[in-house]
Amino acid sequence: MIRFWNRRIKTGLLTENPEIDRELKVIQKEIKSLVSKKFAGSLAIRMVDSGSCNACEAECNALSNPYYDLERLGIYFVASPRHADVMLLSGLMTFNMVPHVLDAFKQMPAPKWVITLGACPAMEAPFEQTFAIKAPAEAHLSIAHHIPGCPPTPKEIIEGLLVFLRKM
Amino acid sequence: MRLIARYAKELENIFEVVTVWDEAVEKEQVPKNDPRIKTLTKTHPTAIWFERKMHDDFGILIEDAFDNRPLVHQERFPKSIHPMQKSFQKKSLAFDDYKAYKYEAIGGDGVFEVSVGPIHAGIIEPGHFHFSQAGEEMLHQEVRHFYKYRAIEKMLEGKTLIDAKPVIERISGNESIAYQIAWRDVVLQATKSQLPDVNHKYHALLLELERTIHHLTDLGFIPNDAGFSVALAFASKLSEEARRELKRVTGHRFGFAAIDFEAHTLDTEAMTVYLDTLQEAITFFESWIIDIPSLWDRFDTTGILKTEKALKYDTVGIVARASGLRLDRRDEPFYHEHGFVMQTQKSADVAARFKIRLEEVKNTLLMMRNFRVEACEAVKLGEVEDGEYFSFVESSIGELFMSIEINKGVIERFFVRDPSFVNWQALHLMMPGNIIADFPLINKSCDLSYAGNDL
């Protein structure tokens, strides 16, 4: 284990925001103060996949890797809708998932918001309407913000969350 | 013989049931007015999902099946509808009354059931797991999926191969390149075209890069599920770098739209620099992680899938190889010439599935070096000829099988069997003898796709 820590210390901090670094520095304070003002210091997100290809989930997982480290901004992915302020919703709202998505939303304490993630929930992906698809999500829930992309990159997701916070 | 897939299609006056084995393809015709077939589950247990799906899709009755529950159609799906029949053309369905699904469960004094999902605690796809518990110990688990069912098969009917491509590459995001290569092989067969050697190498390079990303992700998440989160920090850094490399080469972090018949150039020098960096990092990672006793205490003997069970359940990919089966679609001259070495393990547990990934990343690194080409060429395709075409690709999970039938230039029937579809059915065999707290670890060690499974 000591070898790992030696390497870890030599590597130093990796966390970066390649192209939005400067912009982020400027608004980092703003996010932190927005999160602190509007969400008591931490914005809790419940990610729900309603029938995606799993790329959106992979990019959300990437938000926790050392390059992005989303939690330092006070934004957390939580395990239960009952802990969440925001539902981050990906996927095509499949026939089989819609009842569960609505259940999860019902479990969230108010005030609560839904942010749609990626092309699918807005029915903008190449998938065509079938009997098994009930997208767009806005037919079922009121959507506070949409983060486009197929899938949106981690950077685009961070930017999208910033826009949402400013809108609030 | 190994069962690869079993599915139905509708011809003019009959249904045809196609059973694809590793050594043969069988076709059985059944009348439309009274469609019945005999089950294969007595010798091949994994036939059950194929057969239950066939009943949902076409209304074909499985005469002697021990399990007649719907598979794809869940509690609120209208009962008498079989949407893969050509006469069904509706674009939307209303929810029907709730009909409870009867889960497999073990009864007995003190035995209780635990329901998990479809929405899980992490950032993960939806699916349901139903456990029968004696205290901490798992007695049985039923895997229930198809929450992500998008009706991809129906969606692609009537489309040309070219128009179907954007959907095919988005069936399972983690395996996009593999799906695109399966599609490519169908296009090549249908147009009687040949792929130049450089293109073959270029595509193989992308497939191995995709495998590297997926394996690196798992090399972090598996230890993380055993509480060793520092490995996730290390490996997720490597998988992010690999994804950026895929983006640099293809312009997309998941390689969507990367496999085509156009000319491309590759910056081989930058690729070499990247491969050297990864080589150094993975060598360190191995020497470090292999030396953490508390981690291997969790990995060793957890979630064993015995070789004979892996064989009986027709498993493929990482799961099969970790149980000692020599099964890999890359086991062919082209890959052997470029350094492919079949990786297998004997212990058949979480440790084996972890080690296989580690060994495969190292082997993949060698292959990627050999697949580096300066450029690939534009390929002129001929006319698409009607017919039925099969293709097989080894995705990062296992063997992917795709079958496309073309009639009058458009897709008449699209079928794909993700490696996950068979491996999910073997997952419950790994549970007995383990405690429920080890389920996430065992599940992650297989890292199967929900989207590819559900279609």
Side-chain angles (χ1 to χ4, degrees):
Chain A
M1 209 53 208
I2 195 75
R3 275 187 299 150
F4 174 81
W5 290 113
N6 280 336
R7 189 184 172 101
R8 167 70 187 78
I9 289 158
K10 263 188 231 151
T11 311
L13 270 188
L14 284 172
T15 309
E16 56 164 40
N17 298 278
E19 293 105 54
I20 52 166
D21 207 22
R22 211 170 309 134
E23 190 197 350
L24 196 71
K25 261 185 198 148
V26 178
I27 46 184
Q28 200 164 8
K29 216 172 152 193
E30 189 190 343
I31 316 174
K32 274 199 174 157
S33 91
L34 280 174
V35 167
S36 124
K37 229 184 284 169
K38 292 179 175 167
F39 294 99
S42 68
L43 173 62
I45 299 180
R46 176 60 249 203
M47 169 95 207
V48 175
D49 167 2
S50 75
S52 73
C53 72
N54 201 23
C56 284
E57 285 65 44
E59 294 297 52
C60 280
N61 275 321
L63 287 171
S64 303
N65 76 36
Y67 284 105
Y68 303 103
D69 192 16
L70 189 68
E71 288 203 7
R72 84 206 130 101
L73 303 178
I75 301 173
Y76 302 84
F77 286 98
V78 293
S80 167
R82 294 184 188 175
H83 306 155
D85 304 301
V86 166
M87 178 191 281
L88 192 58
L89 182 62
S90 69
L92 285 163
M93 301 295 284
T94 61
F95 187 97
N96 288 343
M97 268 310 282
V98 164
H100 303 286
V101 172
L102 299 180
D103 268 358
F105 185 72
K106 212 192 282 175
Q107 297 293 322
M108 288 168 60
K112 53 189 170 182
W113 296 267
V114 179
I115 301 177
T116 47
L117 182 71
C120 285
M123 207 54 198
E124 286 163 357
F127 299 102
E128 277 172 19
Q129 187 62 49
T130 70
F131 60 91
I133 293 172
K134 289 206 170 285
E138 61 187 8
H140 309 271
L141 292 162
S142 152
I143 309 298
H145 185 59
H146 174 61
I147 302 175
C150 190
T153 63
K155 179 195 142 201
E156 287 165 346
I157 299 173
I158 295 176
E159 288 171 331
L161 291 173
L162 296 181
V163 176
F164 163 76
L165 282 168
R166 283 216 195 104
K167 252 202 227 174
M168 296 273 309
Chain B
M1 282 198 295
R2 183 168 64 87
L3 176 69
I4 292 175
R6 186 159 156 85
Y7 59 97
K9 54 189 185 188
E10 182 173 343
L11 306 183
E12 207 168 325
N13 299 313
I14 44 149
F15 292 124
E16 189 172 73
V17 176
V18 184
T19 309
V20 182
W21 304 90
D22 54 350
E23 292 161 11
V25 177
E26 283 169 10
K27 291 184 177 178
E28 185 184 346
Q29 302 199 326
V30 290
K32 271 189 190 171
N33 54 7
D34 184 25
R36 288 163 186 276
I37 55 165
K38 296 257 186 238
T39 184
L40 285 180
T41 50
K42 283 160 194 162
T43 48
H44 293 271
T46 30
I48 192 72
W49 277 18
F50 289 108
E51 292 173 356
R52 285 167 68 189
K53 180 169 152 61
M54 218 183 291
H55 181 262
D56 285 356
D57 285 348
F58 290 94
I60 296 173
L61 202 70
I62 319 299
E63 270 186 337
D64 45 352
F66 64 89
D67 184 355
N68 289 313
R69 295 171 300 167
L71 183 76
V72 181
H73 298 171
Q74 297 193 341
E75 285 90 346
R76 294 168 184 87
F77 202 92
K79 210 176 172 189
S80 54
I81 286 178
H82 302 292
M84 283 303 287
Q85 293 183 0
K86 294 281 181 196
S87 58
F88 181 87
Q89 288 299 334
K90 280 191 188 162
K91 294 279 181 216
S92 78
L93 276 180
F95 290 113
D96 204 1
D97 294 338
Y98 183 92
K99 294 172 292 293
Y101 178 84
K102 198 175 174 333
Y103 284 98
E104 288 168 13
I106 292 177
D109 230 13
V111 176
F112 60 95
E113 293 166 43
V114 177
S115 251
V116 183
I119 298 176
H120 298 281
I123 303 174
I124 178 176
E125 302 179 86
H128 188 95
F129 305 104
H130 201 85
F131 300 90
S132 296
Q133 294 288 128
E136 287 286 346
E137 195 174 323
M138 292 184 274
L139 298 179
H140 181 62
Q141 175 212 31
E142 179 179 0
V143 175
R144 186 186 180 212
H145 282 330
F146 303 94
Y147 290 89
K148 307 187 84 170
Y149 174 57
R150 296 158 285 180
I152 300 276
E153 292 157 89
K154 190 82 175 178
M155 193 189 295
L156 294 181
E157 286 180 5
K159 288 190 186 307
T160 63
L161 283 171
I162 300 299
D163 288 345
K165 169 85 185 331
V167 172
I168 291 173
E169 69 198 17
R170 284 169 177 82
I171 289 175
S172 171
N174 279 331
E175 304 168 273
S176 179
I177 304 274
Y179 273 82
Q180 292 179 63
I181 289 181
W183 168 86
R184 176 204 74 185
D185 289 347
V186 167
V187 173
L188 289 172
Q189 291 172 59
T191 58
K192 291 203 165 35
S193 311
Q194 293 291 326
L195 201 66
D197 197 41
V198 281
N199 295 43
H200 210 151
K201 283 188 186 178
Y202 179 73
H203 292 168
L205 174 71
L206 297 183
L207 182 61
E208 293 310 311
L209 190 52
E210 175 177 82
R211 190 183 321 280
T212 303
I213 297 170
H214 201 174
H215 282 4
L216 289 172
T217 307
D218 290 335
L219 288 175
F221 271 110
I222 297 169
N224 189 57
D225 274 349
F228 193 64
S229 55
V230 66
L232 176 61
F234 191 90
S236 65
K237 167 186 174 286
L238 298 185
S239 69
E240 173 69 20
E241 286 162 1
R243 207 172 275 301
R244 288 180 183 187
E245 187 64 12
L246 184 61
K247 156 105 182 178
R248 191 185 61 75
V249 176
T250 68
H252 192 280
R253 282 169 58 91
F254 290 78
F256 289 179
I259 304 291
D260 55 21
F261 299 99
E262 308 293 321
H264 297 281
T265 55
L266 179 71
D267 184 346
T268 51
E269 256 171 61
M271 178 58 93
T272 308
V273 171
Y274 168 70
L275 294 176
D276 290 343
T277 317
L278 178 58
Q279 186 99 52
E280 192 275 329
I282 204 73
T283 308
F284 171 80
F285 180 78
E286 183 178 18
S287 69
W288 164 57
I289 201 126
I290 226 83
D291 215 16
I292 311 285
S294 55
L295 182 67
W296 293 90
D297 190 42
R298 291 288 306 277
F299 284 4
D300 290 329
T301 70
T302 304
I304 291 177
L305 177 66
K306 288 189 180 135
T307 311
E308 56 269 27
K309 292 278 187 189
L311 194 63
K312 187 175 180 189
Y313 276 72
D314 301 299
T315 56
V316 294
I318 299 278
V319 168
R321 293 196 288 279
S323 292
L325 301 185
R326 292 183 63 81
L327 210 60
D328 193 316
R329 279 284 161 187
R330 293 172 297 167
D331 190 7
E332 46 133 330
F334 172 77
Y335 276 97
H336 283 294
E337 281 159 26
H338 294 89
F340 171 74
V341 179
M342 172 89 71
Q343 306 297 332
T344 58
Q345 290 281 328
K346 288 203 179 97
S347 59
D349 49 8
V350 170
R353 293 186 281 274
F354 183 82
K355 282 188 228 159
I356 287 262
R357 288 193 170 85
L358 198 53
E359 293 303 322
E360 288 198 359
V361 167
K362 291 191 288 179
N363 187 222
T364 279
L365 264 167
L366 172 69
M367 282 191 275
M368 285 196 283
R369 287 186 195 281
N370 296 333
F371 287 139
R372 281 169 303 172
V373 285
E374 298 283 340
C376 71
E377 302 161 12
V379 180
K380 200 166 154 29
L381 296 173
E383 283 288 304
V384 172
E385 281 181 32
D386 288 357
E388 185 183 41
Y389 305 100
F390 290 172
S391 64
F392 299 90
V393 179
E394 189 73 19
S395 86
S396 49
I397 300 174
E399 174 200 65
L400 174 71
F401 163 68
M402 189 180 285
S403 151
I404 302 183
E405 183 171 339
I406 298 173
N407 186 18
K408 299 194 183 91
V410 295
I411 295 173
E412 172 77 13
R413 174 82 168 102
F414 174 87
F415 178 82
V416 65
R417 192 233 55 202
D418 193 273
S420 310
F421 193 89
V422 281
N423 286 357
W424 275 124
Q425 296 191 67
L427 190 70
H428 74 277
L429 301 167
M430 305 174 195
M431 302 306 155
N434 292 279
I435 61 169
I436 195 166
D438 272 335
F439 165 70
L441 178 62
I442 299 170
N443 188 31
K444 187 47 96 177
S445 76
C446 301
D447 198 33
L448 305 174
S449 166
Y450 301 62
N453 176 77
D454 296 0
L455 291 181

